[in-house]
Amino acid sequence: MSVTEATEIKTTCAYCGVGCGIVAEKPPIDAEVIVVSGDPLHPANLGRLCSKGSALGETVHHENRLLYPMVNGNRVTWDAALTDVVSRLQSTIEQYGPQSVALYGSGQLLTEDYYVANKLMKGFVGSANIDTNSRLCMASTVAGHKRAFGTDTVPGCYEDLELADCLVLVGSNMAWCHPVLYQRIRAVKQSRGDRMKVVIIDPRRTDTCDIADLFLPIQPGTDSVLFNGLLIWLLEQEKVDHSYIIQHTSGFDRTLELARVTSPTVQVVSKKCGLEPEVVEIFYRWFAENDRSVTAWSQGVNQSSAGTDKVNAIINCHLATGRIGKPGSTPFSLTGQPNAMGGREVGGLANQLAAHLEFNRPDDVERVARFWQAPNMVGKPGLTAVEMFDAVSRGDIRFIWIMGTNPVVSMPDADRVKEALTLCPTVVVSDCIRNTDTADVADILLPAAGWSEKDGTVTNSERRISRQRRLRAPVGESRYDWSIMAEVGRRLGYGEAFSFQSPVEVFREHAALSAFENHPTMRPRDFDIGGLMHITGEGYDGLVPIQWPIPDTTSVGQARLFEDGHFFTETGKANFVPVSELAPVNMPDDNYPLILNTGRVRDHWHTMTRTALAPRLSQHRDEPFVELHPDDAASREITDQSLVVVSSQYGQVVVRARVTTHQQSGHVFVPMHWSGQFSRSGRVGSVVNPVVDPFSHQPDNKYTPVELRRFVAERYGVLLSRSPIALPETEYAVSVKSAACYRYELATAHDRESGFSAFLPELLSASKVEYDDVANGVKRCLYLQDGEVVAILFESQSYESLIDRAGLESAFIDDQDMALPQWQLLSGQPGKGAGCQGRQVCACFGVGENAIVSTIQQEKLDSVESVGDVLDAGTNCGSCIPEIRQLLASVNG
Ligand SMILES: Nc1nc2c(c(=O)[nH]1)N[C@H]1C(S)=C(S)[C@@H](COP(=O)(O)OP(=O)(O)OC[C@H]3O[C@@H](n4cnc5c(=O)[nH]c(N)nc54)[C@H](O)[C@@H]3O)O[C@H]1N2
Ligand SMILES: Nc1nc2c(c(=O)[nH]1)N[C@H]1C(S)=C(S)[C@@H](COP(=O)(O)OP(=O)(O)OC[C@H]3O[C@@H](n4cnc5c(=O)[nH]c(N)nc54)[C@H](O)[C@@H]3O)O[C@H]1N2
Ligand code: SF4
Ligand SMILES: [Mo]
């Protein structure tokens, strides 16, 4: 290595919209692990990383990587794969027209990938059927922003959440989903104490409530009623800013009128929202009294059949008080994916054009066409996600290219999506992972370079553009998404428009389009990064994180917008949007009396294609589950840890019960993460109703009527295997990667004589040592190859009699001291150092519940800090602090 070559490279985390900066050690191409740490100079995280970010370097090994192109299951050359893509695309268009083709993308693509995708589809293929998983994520906020501001603009920045005297979090489990931002707020809250009020609005008590001064366990879907009530309260308490309203807004009176209908009094609001009037009043008072108030929201607002209205009901309260884009005073949407914002900038959604230009302005269509020199410019919006897969299902879309997303898992009514794709004549999937539920139904697989191999930009929740930098060359034959699409563009005959040779060339064009005819006298837009349109390769390589707008080369970025009360509507004024009360489309009934809410867990990312590769991210929640209230459990004879069938009119899952009072009676929660790759029956998308918001077309993932019943298992099993095996075809099967082996949790309703071994073809050639422990009702079997234990299977009619799994795992640790004699394994006694830690709490240091509880007891600990001093738990990313606090409370009373 030459002395000038960098050994450390700065890049950006691949996961959430916080957009944390990372310092990575430059790895060799075949590195199994990359050493990462938080970038102390990145403004988003100032050196912090959460459990997922700090484990990123453990997910870059080649296990399950898609290394070369494949057609119909066979390896092919890139040339053959692209020839096939292009000829199928062309023949589909020739026969059925451009509306018969679609591209379904992702907020995890880089801006450069996204820009090329949008240009290819809307300007050259001639179809606006390009939508993305951001439809499932941010569409309601986009629609709400546009209705209010005329543009899709996030007015504030992260610092505002720290500066707020009243911080309201609506439908956001920030402690788990935006953990580094949450830690920033926790630190401020700790030092400011009561001077900072934190209000959490969520139907379930999440770990985010750890810093709450006030918790509003709202009835799902009723947020608009609550915020309409706040608007009335503000007026009655003379807290509205009349001069701001007159000078900078329109539509106040009509909005107020409707708010009076839905939310005339605190009593009415409380009743509709299922809240105590006193609690509602405290919230209203705190918001009214504090000029510095921030309302931040996420999927509890967006993923709703009333999502867009919820967004506007919130913004209405900020407009009425003039609290927009001011320090510590703003509405703030938390974006989910690392580049959710970048996707919106390039116009990645079917109803956007590009660079915040709009279909509903004919000039804009012409403007983009002229800029791109586009021969087939589309003039009107295409199909949105749910409509798109419906069109696939009907046979109207016959060619679909899916890139950077896994719709067979993440779409609502997901079995129907799977069926539609199975029937679709051409499904192209670009992914870095070989086996995903969507890749399984693809005709053509294109290997994409992944995080650590790609170069480009992402934009985080506070409009900050950061570089993702290449740490090493793409593995196998994988290629960059933008370059794959550019090659397709060239092969379609558009050589000049797709002549890009590097991401900076794409970025320059994107920046130029943002500035194109963008000035006060022509077509002013908020999104303007024209200052970067001539950026050199070196400048791009060295680009430091910067917040748009960046209109000229001297711009240093801008933390806030709209501070001057000027908006991007025709009149320059913001719009109040009258918000009515939209009833849920599907209501609970006798058959499906419970409401299913779905969302995220702390350590997994979406469909687990990457986080499941890291053992330490797979322990905190190791199986798909349903959280339910003790009353709902008792009335159905469901106990904690039992298996439960959750069903709706669309489909069903079988998951493990977690009985908890954090869940309200009548509501249940199932995480979205488990796919067919890691569980036989945990893919909750098949249960979720395909109901969408009427304005944004965003699906409601938080409200599906369901019923629960106990899954009656005749036999349970736990299998530990040194190598991964195919997921056994039993009614319940879940795989969990551990540090030393792969664990499979099994259950079946049939008590076959052969037990589970019949489902384990991989182990047929191994020799077996068995022991039938009749006294304890457990059968134990060791599978041996060359005298070495390759797998252990325990089975029993009762789940409780299967012993601690952590103890058994030590059998696979290549350490003489830890190795257990075979008799001990067969006797079912936990080994040395085993049993031991219990369920994982701290992912960063691998500390389990039993260890924490016994240390609290033995050392008489009474604070989170003292637990950290002794065990390190909670001292790195801090995500487990709420759980440590709960353990302290349960031990110390
Ligand atoms: N660990 C982890 N972090 C992630 C992700 C991940 O997969 N894993 N994904 C990222 C992405 S893409 C996204 S979009 C974000 C999502 O981040 P969040 O939106 O914070 O996460 P969710 O769990 O989807 O839902 C948030 C909360 O909304 C609540 N909710 C449900 N219905 C209602 C309602 O009617 N009103 C209100 N007020 N609340 C309601 C739910 O109970 C839940 O606690 O997370 C990002 N960060
Ligand atoms: N029930 C329920 N469903 C939901 C939600 C919910 O709360 N509940 N949330 C919704 C939301 S907010 C979101 S954002 C979606 C997320 O849902 P998805 O987007 O379907 O989930 P991911 O697992 O993130 O899928 C990303 C895919 O891209 C691949 N990938 C990673 N990097 C690259 C790359 O550089 N190039 C390419 N080509 N591929 C890459 C990954 O391996 C993975 O297969 O789920 C939605 N679905
Ligand atoms: S909070 Fe965690 S997941 Fe999100 S960007 Fe930062 S390190 Fe990555
Ligand atoms: Mo998302």
Side-chain angles (χ1 to χ4, degrees):
M1 190 184 289
S2 76
V3 276
T4 51
E5 201 173 330
T7 55
E8 282 188 344
I9 297 175
K10 287 192 173 189
T11 184
T12 310
C13 178
Y15 298 124
C16 85
V18 178
C20 295
I22 282 182
V23 181
E25 281 183 19
K26 192 170 167 45
I29 169 88
D30 54 355
E32 291 282 302
V33 174
I34 297 179
V35 180
V36 300
S37 57
D39 178 355
L41 299 179
H42 196 289
N45 57 318
L46 301 169
R48 295 181 185 89
L49 291 179
C50 75
S51 52
K52 294 180 300 299
S54 54
L56 245 182
E58 292 153 46
T59 61
V60 296
H61 50 77
H62 301 181
E63 182 177 331
N64 206 11
R65 269 301 287 264
L66 177 60
L67 295 170
Y68 39 78
M70 298 178 83
V71 175
N72 299 332
N74 301 313
R75 179 175 183 169
V76 297
T77 61
W78 265 107
D79 183 52
L82 291 176
T83 303
D84 207 16
V85 169
V86 170
S87 70
R88 290 185 193 220
L89 182 60
Q90 279 171 325
S91 67
T92 311
I93 294 173
E94 266 162 34
Q95 267 187 283
Y96 302 96
Q99 301 318 318
S100 63
V101 304
L103 194 150
Y104 184 61
S106 166
Q108 291 165 72
L109 296 173
L110 304 182
T111 299
E112 293 73 6
D113 302 324
Y114 234 139
Y115 178 85
V116 176
N118 194 48
K119 180 177 180 182
L120 179 66
M121 286 300 287
K122 291 188 183 137
F124 294 81
V125 167
S127 167
N129 292 337
I130 161 170
D131 213 45
T132 90
N133 62 4
S134 282
R135 180 70 54 192
L136 320 180
C137 183
M138 303 313 306
S140 297
T141 287
V142 174
H145 279 163
K146 280 194 198 166
R147 290 203 302 190
F149 308 143
T151 44
D152 174 23
T153 316
V154 174
C157 60
Y158 295 154
E159 192 190 31
D160 292 329
L161 280 75
E162 296 171 317
L163 293 174
D165 295 323
C166 175
L167 173 62
V168 188
L169 298 180
V170 196
S172 155
N173 185 8
M174 198 195 254
W176 284 10
C177 296
H178 297 91
V180 166
L181 187 55
Y182 183 77
Q183 294 309 326
R184 283 177 59 167
I185 295 165
R186 173 197 291 288
V188 176
K189 170 79 183 137
Q190 253 163 4
S191 65
R192 294 180 58 206
D194 267 358
R195 281 171 299 135
M196 181 188 201
K197 308 286 191 210
V198 179
V199 181
I200 314 267
I201 304 171
D202 194 307
R204 56 189 192 119
R205 180 178 280 278
T206 62
D207 272 14
T208 305
C209 295
D210 195 45
I211 58 165
D213 297 285
L214 193 69
F215 170 49
L216 277 67
I218 195 168
Q219 280 303 307
T222 62
D223 303 75
S224 300
V225 172
L226 183 68
F227 280 88
N228 272 0
L230 175 58
L231 191 67
I232 305 285
W233 173 277
L234 291 168
L235 185 80
E236 286 172 354
Q237 303 295 314
E238 297 179 3
K239 290 290 184 185
V240 299
D241 184 339
H242 288 287
S243 74
Y244 186 91
I245 292 173
I246 292 165
Q247 280 179 51
H248 301 300
T249 72
S250 60
F252 182 60
D253 293 339
R254 276 187 304 121
T255 302
L256 206 57
E257 229 171 84
L258 209 49
R260 284 209 172 94
V261 175
T262 69
S263 317
T265 62
V266 169
Q267 270 65 31
V268 171
V269 169
S270 311
K271 197 147 183 272
K272 288 185 178 176
C273 299
L275 299 165
E276 297 295 327
E278 298 74 33
V279 175
V280 172
E281 209 171 298
I282 298 173
F283 161 46
Y284 286 180
R285 215 176 54 235
W286 285 354
F287 189 96
E289 283 167 1
N290 289 292
D291 277 340
R292 288 194 163 201
S293 40
V294 169
T295 312
W297 69 89
S298 191
Q299 299 312 338
V301 168
N302 293 338
Q303 286 173 349
S304 163
S305 58
T308 309
D309 276 355
K310 287 185 184 184
V311 170
N312 287 110
I314 293 170
I315 294 176
N316 286 341
C317 295
H318 281 267
L319 286 175
T321 45
R323 295 176 190 164
I324 300 246
K326 296 176 181 155
S329 194
T330 193
F332 191 86
S333 131
L334 293 155
T335 55
Q337 301 178 88
N339 202 28
M341 185 77 88
R344 287 145 70 177
E345 291 156 11
V346 303
L349 293 166
N351 55 329
Q352 298 177 324
L353 211 39
H356 287 200
L357 292 157
E358 298 295 339
F359 278 116
N360 59 11
R361 296 188 182 226
D363 286 1
D364 280 1
V365 176
E366 186 274 330
R367 194 166 273 126
V368 178
R370 196 155 31 90
F371 181 86
W372 279 343
Q373 298 285 297
N376 299 316
M377 191 69 207
V378 288
K380 57 182 193 334
L383 300 176
T384 57
V386 170
E387 296 166 343
M388 185 183 277
F389 286 98
D390 279 349
V392 175
S393 186
R394 287 195 306 271
D396 291 346
I397 287 179
R398 307 180 61 84
F399 174 107
I400 186 166
W401 189 349
I402 297 168
M403 197 177 299
T405 178
N406 195 357
V408 170
V409 185
S410 54
M411 283 291 290
D413 198 5
D415 287 348
R416 185 140 178 269
V417 168
K418 183 175 178 178
E419 190 189 66
L421 289 175
T422 310
L423 297 174
C424 183
T426 303
V427 177
V428 183
V429 169
S430 292
D431 204 297
C432 16
I433 300 294
R434 167 67 187 89
N435 295 106
T436 74
D437 290 8
T438 305
D440 284 352
V441 295
D443 302 289
I444 303 178
L445 286 177
L446 302 178
W451 183 87
S452 84
E453 300 150 17
K454 308 182 68 158
D455 244 329
T457 52
V458 290
T459 311
N460 73 2
S461 293
E462 57 168 0
R463 285 175 281 103
R464 195 179 293 280
I465 300 173
S466 293
R467 281 293 318 272
Q468 249 191 41
R469 291 189 177 85
R470 175 178 136 137
L471 311 177
R472 57 171 171 178
V475 302
E477 294 180 12
S478 64
R479 292 187 181 175
Y480 311 115
D481 290 302
W482 65 264
S483 73
I484 300 168
M485 288 179 285
E487 174 68 23
V488 168
R490 291 192 291 270
R491 287 179 181 227
L492 287 171
Y494 308 118
E496 209 173 315
F498 294 95
S499 62
F500 309 115
Q501 294 301 315
S502 65
V504 67
E505 293 171 30
V506 182
F507 185 83
R508 279 197 287 256
E509 186 178 305
H510 162 59
L513 178 54
S514 79
F516 187 59
E517 298 176 357
N518 183 354
H519 46 81
T521 55
M522 215 157 188
R523 171 67 170 97
R525 278 112 62 192
D526 59 339
F527 179 66
D528 183 350
I529 58 169
L532 300 173
M533 64 195 263
H534 299 298
I535 194 167
T536 61
E538 265 175 27
Y540 183 72
D541 284 345
L543 187 71
V544 290
I546 181 166
Q547 282 168 295
W548 64 258
I550 311 159
D552 48 60
T553 49
T554 57
S555 313
V556 290
Q558 195 173 321
R560 300 180 181 86
L561 283 119
F562 307 147
E563 218 168 339
D564 59 358
H566 182 85
F567 297 86
F568 288 88
T569 52
E570 299 282 349
T571 57
K573 289 182 170 188
N575 299 314
F576 278 95
V577 179
V579 170
S580 58
E581 197 180 337
L582 288 180
V585 175
N586 284 336
M587 296 289 268
D589 58 20
D590 289 349
N591 292 330
Y592 300 108
L594 303 168
I595 298 164
L596 170 70
N597 172 9
T598 62
R600 290 153 175 82
V601 303
R602 193 188 75 189
D603 292 348
H604 273 307
W605 179 260
H606 296 161
T607 70
M608 292 169 49
T609 61
R610 290 171 291 161
T611 45
L613 297 170
R616 71 159 144 147
L617 297 180
S618 302
Q619 314 303 319
H620 181 246
R621 293 287 184 271
D622 55 355
E623 289 180 70
F625 59 84
V626 55
E627 278 177 344
L628 73 165
H629 187 272
D631 292 348
D632 294 330
S635 59
R636 292 168 178 78
E637 295 179 352
I638 291 168
T639 50
D640 195 47
Q641 299 292 314
S642 59
L643 292 176
V644 177
V645 181
V646 181
S647 57
S648 71
Q649 66 178 102
Y650 302 93
Q652 67 170 53
V653 290
V654 184
V655 292
R656 184 89 57 201
R658 292 175 64 95
V659 179
T660 166
T661 52
H662 290 181
Q663 197 64 40
Q664 295 186 48
S665 174
H667 309 176
V668 301
F669 177 83
V670 176
M672 65 168 291
H673 306 288
W674 275 268
S675 67
Q677 310 299 316
F678 305 101
S679 68
R680 177 85 16 229
S681 54
R683 191 168 51 94
V684 76
S686 59
V687 183
V688 174
N689 53 202
V691 164
V692 301
D693 174 276
F695 306 104
S696 67
H697 297 202
Q698 175 159 355
D700 188 334
N701 284 313
K702 306 295 193 226
Y703 201 104
T704 304
V706 294
E707 178 54 301
L708 263 51
R709 70 183 150 80
R710 194 185 166 108
F711 175 82
V712 184
E714 288 294 331
R715 194 182 279 255
Y716 297 89
V718 54
L719 172 81
L720 298 149
S721 170
R722 194 175 283 277
S723 325
I725 61 160
L727 208 54
E729 297 206 5
T730 54
E731 294 96 314
Y732 185 81
V734 172
S735 74
V736 188
K737 188 177 182 185
S738 312
C741 64
Y742 294 81
R743 170 161 60 91
Y744 299 85
E745 293 290 339
L746 309 170
T748 174
H750 307 281
D751 199 16
R752 292 187 192 81
E753 188 56 27
S754 55
F756 290 112
S757 55
F759 297 102
L760 308 171
E762 285 95 338
L763 298 174
L764 275 178
S765 63
S767 55
K768 292 204 276 186
V769 187
E770 288 176 288
Y771 171 56
D772 199 350
D773 181 349
V774 180
N776 290 306
V778 185
K779 273 192 186 164
R780 306 194 185 93
C781 177
L782 304 186
Y783 291 86
L784 304 164
Q785 253 159 7
D786 303 326
E788 202 181 284
V789 178
V790 291
I792 305 172
L793 173 66
F794 284 15
E795 35 193 319
S796 172
Q797 287 179 334
S798 95
Y799 179 66
E800 290 71 26
S801 54
L802 298 175
I803 64 152
D804 194 316
R805 285 120 182 80
L808 284 179
E809 282 169 14
S810 56
F812 297 93
I813 296 173
D814 292 323
D815 175 340
Q816 284 304 315
D817 289 344
M818 296 288 281
L820 293 177
Q822 288 180 11
W823 66 264
Q824 202 175 338
L825 289 172
L826 281 177
S827 73
Q829 290 166 26
K832 299 171 206 168
C836 32
Q837 289 264 336
R839 188 184 58 80
Q840 188 189 72
V841 175
C842 171
C844 296
F845 295 105
V847 188
E849 181 174 310
N850 298 354
I852 296 175
V853 168
S854 62
T855 311
I856 294 172
Q857 285 165 337
Q858 282 159 20
E859 314 248 340
K860 304 207 173 351
L861 304 180
D862 60 1
S863 67
V864 169
E865 291 72 25
S866 59
V867 172
D869 287 344
V870 182
L871 290 170
D872 288 336
T875 59
N876 184 38
C877 80
S879 297
C880 60
I881 289 176
E883 269 177 77
I884 297 176
R885 206 187 305 287
Q886 285 158 27
L887 293 175
L888 279 160
S890 70
V891 176
N892 297 334

